[in-house]
Amino acid sequence: MSRPARPVGPHCMAVAVLLAALGPAALAPLSAMAQTTETPATLTAQPPPASPQAFGLEVRSSDEGIRDYLTQHLDLQRYRSLSDLDETELARLLRDADVQARELLGTLGFFKPTLSWSQDKSGNTGSLGLVRVDVDTGPAARVSEVQWQWLGDVADDPQARAQLQAIEQQWTLPAGETFSQNAWSRAKNQALRQLLAERYPWGRILHSLALVDEPSNQVRLWLTLESGPPVRLGALQISGADKYGATQVERLARLPVGQVYRQNDLLEAQQRLVTSGFYDSVFVSLDAEGNPAQAPVKVELKESLRQKWVLGLGVRSDSGARVSAEHTHHSVPGLHWRSVSKLSVDKDLQSASLDLLAPPDASLWRWNTSAKFDREKLFDVSLQSQRWRAGRTQLGERVDRSYFAQYDSARLQGDLQLQRESISANYGWTWRNFDSLPFPSRGLGVGVELGSGVTLGDQREPYVRWLVKGLGLVPLGTSLGRLAVRAEIGSVVSRDTSNLPATQLFWTGGDNSVRGYAPNSIGVSEADGITAPGRYLAAGSLEWQRPIRIKGQATDWESAVFVDAGAVANDTGQLQPQIGYGVGARWRSPVGPVRMDLAYAQALRKLRLHLSVGFTF
């Protein structure tokens, strides 16, 4: 005779109430222990003897996870130290433990387990012996069907139809999947997050039910979601904008009145305000008590100090210890631009720079100018360079643009100490379409750099420099992670590049190009053994990133397996790729992604460790 279907909820554990079962007799030994004829002077510092156990407990299962789960959560564990238990009381506890064990297994999707309880008194495990339970979970239950019910505006508004369909199509516990309480909870939470993410920030789960049919070992799911009214953004309510004004906040936030609510828009506005450097903390939220037709957006700020010093001490994987100092002035007197001065020193690189950035206008374009001086040891050569730049930049939601004039000067060791100079006009364009930053799991990014200039000196040679790079993240599934595909290609078009500064040509190698090789160590091999920059660049990478799980639960760590290749030459027919491959780890740290890679350079037959922080494209 089959048992009827029964609902499964999150609170399905049986609780054994020991005091009611044992009565006042159980308290007598405790009262006796409180009485002693010894005075404090006769007491010793020795620890009290361990209380003898009434019984031992052993859970046996072919699945280590099931064994550990039941051992940890069975209430029977709490009663092992009650030495005055008798056989009758233990039998009552075992009946309760059998019920609880079946309920615990039910939360994992096992509704037809076989449990065999036994008692072994041959060992020295307490007065009642060793209690053993052999667990055969049987097959896991599977979802037979999912019934959806939609209430509120989302059920009737044609504009919300795509959002509704996306929630149902991306449901993570469809028919045929193995059922568990955790999977059921995760699926419901994801569906609710998708509903709240756009148009309906006040949506809710009105009703949910998982109904188990034990004879068929199947589960039927019902879920009712209520969207509430659609919400559009109202006026910004800004607090804390005392030094730098509310106008700048409005321009950086880019949340126009009347725009349909999207949770990601508020997060991106918050990120833009934080990364602007003018604010130490930013919190952007929707006023829950506002009118849904135009709900006010609250922007709470803590402004940065007008001036700030940052001193740093760090380590680079390639050049050892590094000392740095940075000074920021958020409103230079008379100019009201922000200035950032930096100084960095290690054994391979000494760098000094100054950047001046104007406040954004109504279209978010900003004037900027900068100067940078570097003295760097690049693998087997030394390079002294300087760069002066002036132009405008616009940082958008998905697209960044910039145009600027630039002066370059470089002196390469072994090049007769001649200084090469050039002046150029440049344009940069970057498009990003990633699902989230700074921890993207899917998406595409493309960047283009284009410049045209002329060399300076006795012989003036015009040239065109271009560089295209791309990054694609392709998801493979929840457990398989994703593929990261990166490519970079560029060239300098000129009749003669001998008078061009080295900084306008190409090297590759290092953390973000070909791992296993030192930074900028892949170039053109000269007759004297120096690795010089070249006019053609081609590089690419294929990386498999997979989440690291512990007992089925995702962690903040991922593993990576990769292969990189890159080549630099003065003739396309001479592009011979240098290969690097290896393994690595990724950590979702509070300051952004941390990458640790151990790479093998095939051409050098050497291992190299690479460390880097942050996601940039």
Side-chain angles (χ1 to χ4, degrees):
M1 180 176 178
S2 63
R3 286 194 285 177
R6 59 185 177 88
V8 176
H11 307 289
C12 56
M13 293 186 181
V15 179
V17 183
L18 180 62
L19 295 179
L22 300 181
L27 301 179
L30 300 177
S31 301
M33 290 173 62
Q35 300 175 3
T36 178
T37 58
E38 292 181 324
T39 64
T42 64
L43 296 178
T44 67
Q46 296 178 354
S51 301
Q53 289 188 342
F55 60 90
L57 177 62
E58 180 184 11
V59 179
R60 299 198 302 190
S61 172
S62 59
D63 187 324
E64 182 180 353
I66 295 293
R67 184 175 69 242
D68 294 342
Y69 181 68
L70 291 180
T71 301
Q72 179 180 357
H73 293 288
L74 278 174
D75 289 341
L76 195 60
Q77 290 277 18
R78 296 188 295 167
Y79 308 128
R80 296 169 57 188
S81 60
L82 298 180
S83 58
D84 61 337
L85 285 177
D86 58 26
E87 293 285 354
T88 302
E89 292 162 341
L90 179 61
R92 185 183 300 113
L93 290 175
L94 293 182
R95 288 195 296 271
D96 292 339
D98 186 82
V99 173
Q100 186 196 12
R102 294 177 185 276
E103 296 288 349
L104 288 170
L105 291 171
T107 66
L108 302 178
F110 300 104
F111 297 104
K112 302 175 71 174
T114 300
L115 304 181
S116 300
W117 295 86
S118 60
Q119 195 173 350
D120 182 3
K121 295 186 178 181
S122 61
N124 185 21
T125 53
S127 59
L128 299 177
L130 174 66
V131 173
R132 181 181 294 118
V133 55
D134 292 280
V135 181
D136 181 1
T137 61
R142 294 188 178 274
V143 177
S144 60
E145 65 174 314
V146 182
Q147 293 287 339
W148 295 86
Q149 184 178 12
W150 296 91
L151 301 177
D153 182 82
V154 69
D156 305 317
D157 189 347
Q159 296 182 0
R161 178 59 54 181
Q163 183 180 0
L164 183 152
Q165 292 175 346
I167 295 174
E168 293 186 357
Q169 291 170 1
Q170 296 172 22
W171 175 252
T172 60
L173 199 58
E177 284 292 319
T178 300
F179 175 86
S180 72
Q181 188 65 44
N182 285 339
W184 173 226
S185 298
R186 287 195 300 268
K188 290 188 293 183
N189 290 336
Q190 176 177 312
L192 181 60
R193 284 195 298 269
Q194 288 178 271
L195 179 64
L196 302 180
E198 186 174 350
R199 302 175 69 87
Y200 305 108
W202 300 317
R204 59 176 181 150
I205 296 177
L206 192 63
H207 176 70
S208 66
L209 178 66
L211 195 62
V212 180
D213 184 4
E214 292 189 6
S216 64
N217 206 31
Q218 293 183 333
V219 184
R220 299 170 65 190
L221 305 179
W222 281 268
L223 185 62
T224 301
L225 291 169
E226 182 183 33
S227 68
V231 173
R232 293 183 178 272
L233 302 185
L236 299 185
Q237 296 179 348
I238 302 170
S239 60
D242 301 322
K243 299 176 185 175
Y244 310 120
T247 300
Q248 178 169 277
V249 176
E250 293 171 352
R251 290 175 176 175
L252 291 173
R254 294 206 302 273
L255 297 172
V257 173
Q259 177 176 298
V260 174
Y261 167 82
R262 288 177 61 242
Q263 187 180 56
N264 203 47
D265 289 341
L266 269 62
L267 294 175
E268 289 178 353
Q270 181 171 292
Q271 182 70 15
R272 282 192 295 272
L273 288 164
V274 170
T275 55
S276 70
F278 291 95
Y279 311 99
D280 288 334
S281 65
V282 181
F283 185 67
V284 180
S285 62
L286 200 66
D287 188 348
E289 299 179 357
N291 180 5
Q294 286 192 352
V297 178
K298 296 192 293 185
V299 182
E300 301 169 83
L301 306 165
K302 181 182 178 182
E303 295 180 313
S304 301
L305 298 174
R306 288 190 184 275
Q307 297 191 62
K308 179 175 64 175
W309 279 96
V310 177
L311 302 178
L313 179 63
V315 178
R316 295 179 67 193
S317 56
D318 290 292
S319 56
R322 165 186 281 189
V323 178
S324 63
E326 178 178 323
H327 174 258
T328 302
H329 198 305
H330 286 295
S331 184
V332 176
L335 187 61
H336 303 298
W337 288 21
R338 183 175 67 188
S339 71
V340 179
S341 305
K342 296 180 181 179
L343 179 65
S344 177
V345 176
D346 62 36
K347 72 181 184 67
D348 288 341
L349 173 64
Q350 298 83 49
S351 177
S353 65
L354 171 65
D355 290 272
L356 293 171
L357 185 64
D361 61 19
S363 300
L364 296 181
W365 282 97
R366 311 173 76 168
W367 288 100
N368 70 290
T369 183
S370 64
K372 186 177 183 182
F373 304 87
D374 287 342
R375 185 174 182 178
E376 186 173 7
K377 183 180 180 181
L378 297 171
F379 191 51
D380 53 4
V381 297
S382 295
L383 175 67
Q384 297 182 33
S385 64
Q386 57 178 297
R387 185 197 69 198
W388 298 78
R389 177 182 293 181
R392 301 186 77 196
T393 184
Q394 182 192 52
L395 303 181
E397 178 180 346
R398 294 184 182 274
V399 178
D400 296 344
R401 301 178 180 88
S402 62
Y403 59 87
F404 52 90
Q406 181 168 298
Y407 165 79
D408 286 274
S409 173
R411 177 177 294 172
L412 195 64
Q413 175 194 6
D415 194 16
L416 303 179
Q417 298 296 316
L418 294 178
Q419 184 164 308
R420 315 295 186 180
E421 299 175 292
S422 71
I423 188 169
S424 60
N426 300 268
Y427 177 77
W429 179 86
T430 301
W431 174 75
R432 294 178 298 271
N433 187 25
F434 298 105
D435 57 346
S436 65
L437 293 174
F439 302 103
S441 60
R442 68 175 66 203
L444 178 67
V446 177
V448 177
E449 299 176 13
L450 179 63
S452 178
V454 62
T455 60
L456 303 179
D458 296 336
Q459 296 181 349
R460 300 196 174 188
E461 186 70 36
Y463 69 94
V464 173
R465 183 184 189 273
W466 63 271
L467 177 67
V468 177
K469 57 184 179 179
L471 172 65
L473 299 176
V474 183
L476 301 177
T478 304
S479 60
L480 293 178
R482 73 193 68 86
L483 287 178
V485 184
R486 176 176 50 81
E488 188 175 22
I489 184 170
S491 75
V492 175
V493 182
S494 177
R495 189 174 54 184
D496 181 10
T497 61
S498 60
N499 286 326
L500 201 63
T503 51
Q504 288 286 26
L505 297 170
F506 298 105
W507 275 292
T508 191
D511 297 344
N512 297 306
S513 55
V514 185
R515 286 162 287 188
Y517 300 83
N520 296 328
S521 63
I522 299 175
V524 178
S525 297
E526 302 285 1
D528 56 4
I530 290 178
T531 301
R535 63 192 300 174
Y536 296 103
L537 165 70
S541 173
L542 179 63
E543 179 171 300
W544 180 25
Q545 303 166 353
R546 187 175 184 180
I548 296 176
R549 297 178 175 272
I550 299 178
K551 294 183 178 180
Q553 300 297 317
T555 67
D556 289 332
W557 289 85
E558 290 184 336
S559 63
V561 180
F562 60 85
V563 56
D564 300 339
V568 173
N570 285 325
D571 187 291
T572 55
Q574 298 176 349
L575 286 170
Q576 299 295 326
Q578 303 293 311
I579 308 296
Y581 45 84
V583 297
R586 309 287 180 264
W587 176 41
R588 295 170 62 98
S589 79
V591 297
V594 175
R595 303 194 315 168
M596 295 161 279
D597 295 316
L598 183 63
Y600 179 76
Q602 183 173 281
L604 304 177
R605 297 184 180 181
K606 291 183 179 179
L607 288 170
R608 178 178 289 269
L609 179 65
H610 297 268
L611 302 174
S612 60
V613 179
F615 173 83
T616 57
F617 185 85

